[in-house]
Amino acid sequence: MAYLTRTTVYNIEDSNIALLGSNIEKHVREEAGEGESAWEDAGKSAGLQIWRIEKFKVVPWPKERNGSFYDGDSYIILHTFKKSPEAKSFSYDLHFWLGQNTTQDEAGTAAYKTVELDDYLHGRPVQFREVQGFESPRFLSYFHQFLCLKGGVETGFHHVSDTLPPNIRKLYRVSLFKSREGRSSLVVREVPATADSLVAGDVYILDKGDNIMQFNTNGSAGQERFKAAEFVQSLLNERKSQADVVVYDEGGSGAGIFLHEFGEQTKLKPADLHSMNLTEVHPILYRISDATGTLVFEKVAPVSKDSLSSEDAFLLDHSDGASYPAIYVWIGRNASLNERRLSIQYAQRYLYDKKIKSASESVRVAIPVVKMQEGEETDEFMEVF
């Protein structure tokens, strides 16, 4: 039986995230059979569970690799917790993460299986669509160190601790993320080892196997530099200290040596800041309805909690939010089955149409999409009001 090729890279701007009605959906159903064995222990105890999509199957990700992701893959992440020590039942945050080079079948399988796990947990999870480079603060807060590497199941992933040849050339961009609760997480992303990857404000590590170079830009924070040094030390430890380490500061002695690695006259690119006047940021609220058989977005005013109705589903556009841009979908208790199951796809279609109509690159299609049931609202959602 023929299926879609696995070499097709998924386009994040595709409005049909779950690829419903496609050969991918049919294949996922066939592979799952009567039930998904991966869900047998899902959500049974507090903590983090991660699965990677491999050839339409949901495969547990080794706990020792929690926090390491590959840009060619798609993953499902379940965070099980209690909202308070007195809570009698668990709450859930359920994410699917799409690498920028993941394939259509992996992205479609991740989206489809996330809905399946949501059903398995009786619709109680708050569901997040995460895209590489646009991860939500909640997602990043799970990891002491978030590491995004090139590769994936298609190419055979290579863990950062694998023995590396002396002539490798890998460039990492290091930044620091602080959660709402004040916890710090190190975010390390492998980027192309070219001059175009060097942007002001971050710390960079050039790994050449037997020579590791750290470059601190002027705009980087002291804690970022310290955490980057910890990452360099972890690389060094994995090689049993068989490598030389040199640290350079922008504008300092020897900084040109690092920049020269990327070509003569190499300069840092200015930071790409999303500029906006915060006084002009206005969230927009829509009622979602498919009662007529056609999907309808109806603008609702005022943007208030009182405008939400248990009979319907609603989309809250906070895509221009400065601290946490996102699209939220709120599902009323009596919303239709399609509105419940297809809400992530509806939100992605909304972003896609918004970008087409505005013809503007400022519409960020890859920002987090967050779906929640009535009664399971996140703090970030409530704060928008």
Side-chain angles (χ1 to χ4, degrees):
M1 184 179 294
Y3 299 108
L4 289 178
T5 174
R6 289 182 52 80
T7 59
T8 304
V9 174
Y10 176 67
N11 178 8
I12 194 60
E13 297 189 3
D14 190 335
S15 62
N16 186 5
I17 179 71
L19 303 171
L20 300 175
S22 68
N23 282 341
I24 290 177
E25 181 188 6
K26 181 179 179 181
H27 198 173
V28 171
R29 289 179 180 272
E30 290 176 351
E31 290 287 339
E34 293 299 317
E36 176 56 70
S37 59
W39 307 150
E40 290 179 0
D41 295 324
K44 297 293 177 60
S45 58
L48 202 63
Q49 293 171 279
I50 302 176
W51 300 267
R52 182 169 71 164
I53 304 302
E54 300 181 14
K55 298 181 179 178
F56 300 98
K57 293 186 179 296
V58 180
V59 179
W61 190 238
K63 290 187 180 300
E64 62 271 19
R65 291 195 175 125
N66 278 7
S68 293
F69 295 83
Y70 291 84
D71 68 358
D73 290 332
S74 293
Y75 299 80
I76 296 172
I77 300 93
L78 177 66
H79 178 224
T80 303
F81 64 100
K82 287 190 175 183
K83 289 186 175 180
S84 68
E86 300 79 24
K88 294 182 179 180
S89 59
F90 285 124
S91 295
Y92 309 98
D93 290 330
L94 176 58
H95 309 249
F96 64 97
W97 183 90
L98 306 177
Q100 64 182 13
N101 294 317
T102 193
T103 58
Q104 280 191 356
D105 53 8
E106 289 166 345
T109 301
Y112 182 89
K113 300 301 281 188
T114 298
V115 172
E116 184 181 273
L117 178 53
D118 185 86
D119 288 343
Y120 180 81
L121 296 172
H122 309 293
R124 295 189 57 200
V126 175
Q127 193 180 133
F128 298 74
R129 184 210 68 175
E130 308 278 358
V131 176
Q132 179 183 340
F134 293 85
E135 293 86 0
S136 68
R138 183 168 299 207
F139 178 81
L140 292 176
S141 71
Y142 302 146
F143 310 106
H144 173 69
Q145 176 177 291
F146 173 81
L147 181 60
C148 186
L149 302 169
K150 292 188 173 299
V153 67
E154 282 292 289
T155 57
F157 66 80
H158 300 286
H159 189 240
V160 70
S161 63
D162 290 346
T163 301
L164 297 172
N167 61 342
I168 67 164
R169 183 178 173 83
K170 291 179 177 289
L171 181 65
Y172 300 96
R173 185 175 68 240
V174 181
S175 58
L176 200 64
F177 161 77
K178 287 191 176 182
S179 70
R180 293 161 56 91
E181 296 76 22
R183 295 193 302 271
S184 296
S185 298
L186 182 66
V187 178
V188 181
R189 301 184 191 274
E190 184 180 348
V191 295
T194 63
D196 286 342
S197 297
L198 301 176
V199 180
D202 289 323
V203 177
Y204 292 87
I205 295 167
L206 179 62
D207 182 0
K208 299 174 66 178
D210 56 3
N211 185 17
I212 302 173
M213 309 167 77
Q214 176 176 332
F215 184 75
N216 304 320
T217 68
N218 287 338
S220 59
Q223 196 172 3
E224 283 179 323
R225 301 179 183 195
F226 177 77
K227 290 291 186 181
E230 285 187 348
F231 178 68
V232 169
Q233 187 61 47
S234 70
L235 295 177
L236 195 60
N237 292 343
E238 289 160 359
R239 292 167 204 178
K240 299 179 171 55
S241 299
Q242 299 300 307
D244 295 323
V245 176
V246 184
V247 179
Y248 301 100
D249 294 321
E250 181 185 357
S253 174
I257 297 174
F258 178 88
L259 294 174
H260 190 73
E261 288 281 340
F262 301 89
E264 294 184 10
Q265 308 302 318
T266 295
K267 295 182 179 179
L268 297 176
K269 294 170 59 178
D272 183 18
L273 299 176
H274 182 67
S275 60
M276 62 175 65
N277 183 343
L278 297 184
T279 62
E280 297 179 357
V281 174
H282 299 293
I284 308 171
L285 184 64
Y286 296 89
R287 178 181 285 105
I288 302 175
S289 176
D290 59 4
T292 63
T294 302
L295 181 65
V296 176
F297 286 86
E298 176 189 7
K299 188 174 289 189
V300 178
V303 179
S304 163
K305 292 181 288 184
D306 294 334
S307 296
L308 303 176
S309 166
S310 297
E311 304 302 316
D312 297 304
F314 292 81
L315 182 147
L316 180 63
D317 181 350
H318 196 236
S319 55
D320 287 331
S323 59
Y324 182 15
I327 296 291
Y328 299 93
V329 180
W330 183 90
I331 309 294
R333 292 189 181 91
N334 301 322
S336 73
L337 180 61
N338 274 343
E339 289 166 354
R340 291 174 178 274
R341 294 179 61 86
L342 302 182
S343 56
I344 295 286
Q345 183 181 332
Y346 289 166
Q348 183 151 318
R349 184 184 306 175
Y350 167 81
L351 277 169
Y352 173 80
D353 290 343
K354 181 178 179 179
K355 182 169 185 177
I356 293 298
K357 290 176 182 177
S358 68
S360 171
E361 293 299 321
S362 65
V363 177
R364 295 163 290 176
V365 178
I367 63 174
V369 175
V370 186
K371 185 208 83 171
M372 67 204 73
Q373 302 281 358
E374 182 176 358
E376 298 291 339
E377 295 84 357
T378 66
D379 291 339
E380 294 88 349
F381 174 77
M382 299 305 294
E383 286 174 3
V384 175
F385 295 107

